[in-house]
PDB file of all heavy atoms in Angstrom:
ATOM      1  N   ALA J 297     -94.571 -68.669  -0.118  1.00 98.00           N
ATOM      2  CA  ALA J 297     -94.839 -70.083  -0.391  1.00 98.00           C
ATOM      3  C   ALA J 297     -94.733 -70.910   0.877  1.00 98.00           C
ATOM      4  O   ALA J 297     -93.928 -70.611   1.769  1.00 98.00           O
ATOM      5  CB  ALA J 297     -93.859 -70.607  -1.439  1.00 98.00           C
ATOM      6  N   PRO J 298     -95.538 -71.977   0.991  1.00 98.00           N
ATOM      7  CA  PRO J 298     -95.437 -72.859   2.155  1.00 98.00           C
ATOM      8  C   PRO J 298     -94.148 -73.661   2.143  1.00 98.00           C
ATOM      9  O   PRO J 298     -93.556 -73.897   1.084  1.00 98.00           O
ATOM     10  CB  PRO J 298     -96.662 -73.775   2.004  1.00 98.00           C
ATOM     11  CG  PRO J 298     -96.932 -73.795   0.533  1.00 98.00           C
ATOM     12  CD  PRO J 298     -96.559 -72.426   0.032  1.00 98.00           C
ATOM     13  N   GLY J 299     -93.685 -74.076   3.318  1.00 98.00           N
ATOM     14  CA  GLY J 299     -92.456 -74.837   3.436  1.00 98.00           C
ATOM     15  C   GLY J 299     -92.660 -76.322   3.222  1.00 98.00           C
ATOM     16  O   GLY J 299     -93.781 -76.840   3.296  1.00 98.00           O
ATOM     17  N   VAL J 300     -91.558 -77.007   2.974  1.00 98.00           N
ATOM     18  CA  VAL J 300     -91.592 -78.472   2.888  1.00 98.00           C
ATOM     19  C   VAL J 300     -91.525 -79.072   4.289  1.00 98.00           C
ATOM     20  O   VAL J 300     -92.182 -80.071   4.580  1.00 98.00           O
ATOM     21  CB  VAL J 300     -90.447 -79.002   2.009  1.00 98.00           C
ATOM     22  CG1 VAL J 300     -90.397 -80.530   2.045  1.00 98.00           C
ATOM     23  CG2 VAL J 300     -90.616 -78.517   0.569  1.00 98.00           C
ATOM     24  N   THR J 301     -90.755 -78.459   5.190  1.00 98.00           N
ATOM     25  CA  THR J 301     -90.722 -78.974   6.556  1.00 98.00           C
ATOM     26  C   THR J 301     -92.090 -78.808   7.206  1.00 98.00           C
ATOM     27  O   THR J 301     -92.752 -77.779   7.038  1.00 98.00           O
ATOM     28  CB  THR J 301     -89.663 -78.248   7.407  1.00 98.00           C
ATOM     29  OG1 THR J 301     -89.632 -78.832   8.715  1.00 98.00           O
ATOM     30  CG2 THR J 301     -89.968 -76.756   7.545  1.00 98.00           C
ATOM     31  N   PRO J 302     -92.525 -79.813   7.993  1.00 98.00           N
ATOM     32  CA  PRO J 302     -93.803 -79.668   8.698  1.00 98.00           C
ATOM     33  C   PRO J 302     -93.652 -79.079  10.097  1.00 98.00           C
ATOM     34  O   PRO J 302     -94.637 -78.941  10.827  1.00 98.00           O
ATOM     35  CB  PRO J 302     -94.302 -81.117   8.776  1.00 98.00           C
ATOM     36  CG  PRO J 302     -93.046 -81.934   8.858  1.00 98.00           C
ATOM     37  CD  PRO J 302     -91.991 -81.185   8.065  1.00 98.00           C
ATOM     38  N   TRP J 303     -92.443 -78.716  10.477  1.00 97.00           N
ATOM     39  CA  TRP J 303     -92.069 -78.329  11.845  1.00 97.00           C
ATOM     40  C   TRP J 303     -93.012 -77.319  12.475  1.00 97.00           C
ATOM     41  O   TRP J 303     -93.290 -76.268  11.902  1.00 97.00           O
ATOM     42  CB  TRP J 303     -90.652 -77.765  11.808  1.00 97.00           C
ATOM     43  CG  TRP J 303     -90.062 -77.342  13.120  1.00 97.00           C
ATOM     44  CD1 TRP J 303     -89.519 -78.149  14.069  1.00 97.00           C
ATOM     45  CD2 TRP J 303     -89.914 -75.998  13.603  1.00 97.00           C
ATOM     46  NE1 TRP J 303     -89.039 -77.385  15.115  1.00 97.00           N
ATOM     47  CE2 TRP J 303     -89.273 -76.068  14.857  1.00 97.00           C
ATOM     48  CE3 TRP J 303     -90.270 -74.748  13.089  1.00 97.00           C
ATOM     49  CZ2 TRP J 303     -88.967 -74.938  15.609  1.00 97.00           C
ATOM     50  CZ3 TRP J 303     -89.969 -73.616  13.834  1.00 97.00           C
ATOM     51  CH2 TRP J 303     -89.330 -73.719  15.087  1.00 97.00           C
ATOM     52  N   LYS J 304     -93.480 -77.637  13.654  1.00 95.00           N
ATOM     53  CA  LYS J 304     -94.366 -76.749  14.417  1.00 95.00           C
ATOM     54  C   LYS J 304     -93.532 -75.698  15.124  1.00 95.00           C
ATOM     55  O   LYS J 304     -92.699 -76.018  15.972  1.00 95.00           O
ATOM     56  CB  LYS J 304     -95.176 -77.555  15.430  1.00 95.00           C
ATOM     57  CG  LYS J 304     -96.252 -76.747  16.144  1.00 95.00           C
ATOM     58  CD  LYS J 304     -97.109 -77.667  17.017  1.00 95.00           C
ATOM     59  CE  LYS J 304     -98.258 -76.908  17.648  1.00 95.00           C
ATOM     60  NZ  LYS J 304     -99.134 -77.817  18.449  1.00 95.00           N
ATOM     61  N   THR J 305     -93.761 -74.434  14.797  1.00 95.00           N
ATOM     62  CA  THR J 305     -92.925 -73.364  15.325  1.00 95.00           C
ATOM     63  C   THR J 305     -92.980 -73.300  16.851  1.00 95.00           C
ATOM     64  O   THR J 305     -94.014 -73.566  17.469  1.00 95.00           O
ATOM     65  CB  THR J 305     -93.338 -72.001  14.741  1.00 95.00           C
ATOM     66  OG1 THR J 305     -92.480 -70.987  15.283  1.00 95.00           O
ATOM     67  CG2 THR J 305     -94.773 -71.640  15.079  1.00 95.00           C
ATOM     68  N   THR J 306     -91.848 -72.941  17.432  1.00 91.00           N
ATOM     69  CA  THR J 306     -91.767 -72.748  18.887  1.00 91.00           C
ATOM     70  C   THR J 306     -91.881 -71.268  19.249  1.00 91.00           C
ATOM     71  O   THR J 306     -91.670 -70.904  20.411  1.00 91.00           O
ATOM     72  CB  THR J 306     -90.432 -73.307  19.433  1.00 91.00           C
ATOM     73  OG1 THR J 306     -89.338 -72.700  18.705  1.00 91.00           O
ATOM     74  CG2 THR J 306     -90.363 -74.813  19.270  1.00 91.00           C
ATOM     75  N   LEU J 307     -92.207 -70.422  18.273  1.00 93.00           N
ATOM     76  CA  LEU J 307     -92.361 -68.989  18.531  1.00 93.00           C
ATOM     77  C   LEU J 307     -93.488 -68.775  19.532  1.00 93.00           C
ATOM     78  O   LEU J 307     -94.629 -69.188  19.283  1.00 93.00           O
ATOM     79  CB  LEU J 307     -92.668 -68.267  17.220  1.00 93.00           C
ATOM     80  CG  LEU J 307     -92.602 -66.741  17.213  1.00 93.00           C
ATOM     81  CD1 LEU J 307     -91.181 -66.259  17.479  1.00 93.00           C
ATOM     82  CD2 LEU J 307     -93.114 -66.201  15.884  1.00 93.00           C
ATOM     83  N   PRO J 308     -93.206 -68.154  20.689  1.00 91.00           N
ATOM     84  CA  PRO J 308     -94.244 -67.967  21.707  1.00 91.00           C
ATOM     85  C   PRO J 308     -95.437 -67.188  21.161  1.00 91.00           C
ATOM     86  O   PRO J 308     -95.276 -66.208  20.425  1.00 91.00           O
ATOM     87  CB  PRO J 308     -93.526 -67.171  22.806  1.00 91.00           C
ATOM     88  CG  PRO J 308     -92.075 -67.451  22.607  1.00 91.00           C
ATOM     89  CD  PRO J 308     -91.903 -67.621  21.129  1.00 91.00           C
TER      90      PRO J 308
END
Side-chain angles (χ1 to χ4, degrees):
V300 174
T301 183
W303 182 79
K304 187 174 185 177
T305 180
T306 54
L307 191 65

